[in-house]
Amino acid sequence: METVVSGIRSTGKLHLGNFYGAVKNFVQMQNEYNCYFFIADYHSLTTHPNPEDLHGHVKQVLVEYLAAGIDPEKATIYVQSDVPEIAELYLYLNMNAYLGELERSTSFKDKVRSQPDNVNAGLLTYPVLMAADILIHRAIKVPVGKDQEQHLEMSRTFANRFNRLYHTDYFPEPFAFNFTKNLIKVPGLDGKGKMGKSEGEANAVYLSDEPEVIRKKVMRSLSDGGPTHENQQKPEPIQNLFDLMKIVSSADTYNHFDTQYNQCSIRYGDFKKQLAEDMIIATAPIREKINEIAKDETYLRQVARFGAIKARESASKTILEVRKIIGFKSF
Ligand code: TYM
């Protein structure tokens, strides 16, 4: 059975981008593949979270994974820092990753712009840690959103380089995966770019948002004065709302408003109301489970411990073989 790995940074609540870009695929994949889904808490350290907040953030993602339908009986769910073998592989891969290529990564360049006072080496080598996450289980499929495509390309580079250096074919090449043909980019509500945790509260709709909060966010999302001539191209903020509708609503609903837009008869109030209600319908079952699962500390502990054991089993096997390939021998 093919092996699958993916993770989500523990920097807060999951939003519709995380769900449609990644987690929805996790849930589908767990029935067909050997899956490892983790909570990337090492990765979250690049932004220096408070020690008091760290565990709460990890718990939040664990709860939301389970609420979204990841089943610990089918997939291995674990916390990244419970598997120190990942940090060891990261060290080895770092010896083989070059400054120039790391500096050229789009996500690094974005971070240099957004957090100029904290351009740490962890940010620079973020793609190497990601490669370690994937290669530690020798996975070949990685369900992620479009924004992670370049990181996957770098993972392949590091895997191939390791193989070449040590004259081996130990690491397979991992590829970004989505059940639909293309990787997904879920737009945000602020009229520009993708939905993200760091773009401000109003930009993202979270799985845990109450219906009233979703309605407010959608109604306040950026729009414009409306189309002025038939079949005109939609400006970015409007296109984004339509893209969101394509994701959460039925094809009939989407076509209805698309036709109205093209005929210049659309009323944004009705359009947004429909979009909000369809987001509420899509998230309601998850939201209810989030509240329920969060209370069950015993269950969460069980899941995390069981997951850590299974993940370490696979990871330690890889590390043993990698040490051998590199040439380490114990006396
Ligand atoms: P993170 O935590 O930023 O996002 C988690 C997943 O959600 C997807 N995603 C989106 N997809 C579509 N539209 C959006 N607006 C959107 N926002 C987020 C991301 O593509 C991702 O799949 N580096 C990763 C976490 C990670 C990882 C890994 C993933 C660490 N190691 C190994 C896969 C394999 C990250 O920061 O994702």
Side-chain angles (χ1 to χ4, degrees), residues 5-9 15 17-18 21-22 38 40 43 126 130 133-134 142-148 151 184-186 194-195 197:
V5 168
S6 197
I8 295 199
R9 251 175 319 146
H15 51 64
N18 299 133
F38 67 96
H43 282 276
Y126 188 105
M130 228 177 115
D133 290 326
I134 298 165
V142 187
V144 284
K146 182 126 187 79
D147 58 327
Q148 299 296 318
H151 286 154
I184 288 182
K185 177 187 144 185
V186 178
K194 64 166 187 167
M195 187 172 287
K197 292 168 202 159

Side-chain angles (χ1 to χ4, degrees), residues 289-309:
K289 286 197 200 112
I290 290 174
N291 299 332
E292 205 178 295
I293 295 169
K295 288 184 228 146
D296 198 344
E297 295 281 346
T298 316
Y299 176 59
L300 294 172
R301 195 175 314 118
Q302 254 172 15
V303 169
R305 288 193 182 167
F306 182 54
I309 291 171

Side-chain angles (χ1 to χ4, degrees), residues 8-19 23 56-65 195-198 200-202 204-210 213 217 290-291:
I8 295 199
R9 251 175 319 146
S10 55
T11 42
K13 306 171 282 187
L14 303 195
H15 51 64
L16 291 182
N18 299 133
F19 182 70
V23 179
H57 288 164
V58 170
K59 180 181 162 189
Q60 177 91 31
V61 179
L62 176 60
V63 167
E64 297 194 7
Y65 270 177
M195 187 172 287
K197 292 168 202 159
S198 38
E201 271 286 315
V205 171
Y206 294 98
L207 299 180
S208 52
D209 277 347
E210 293 294 334
V213 175
K217 284 182 180 174
I290 290 174
N291 299 332

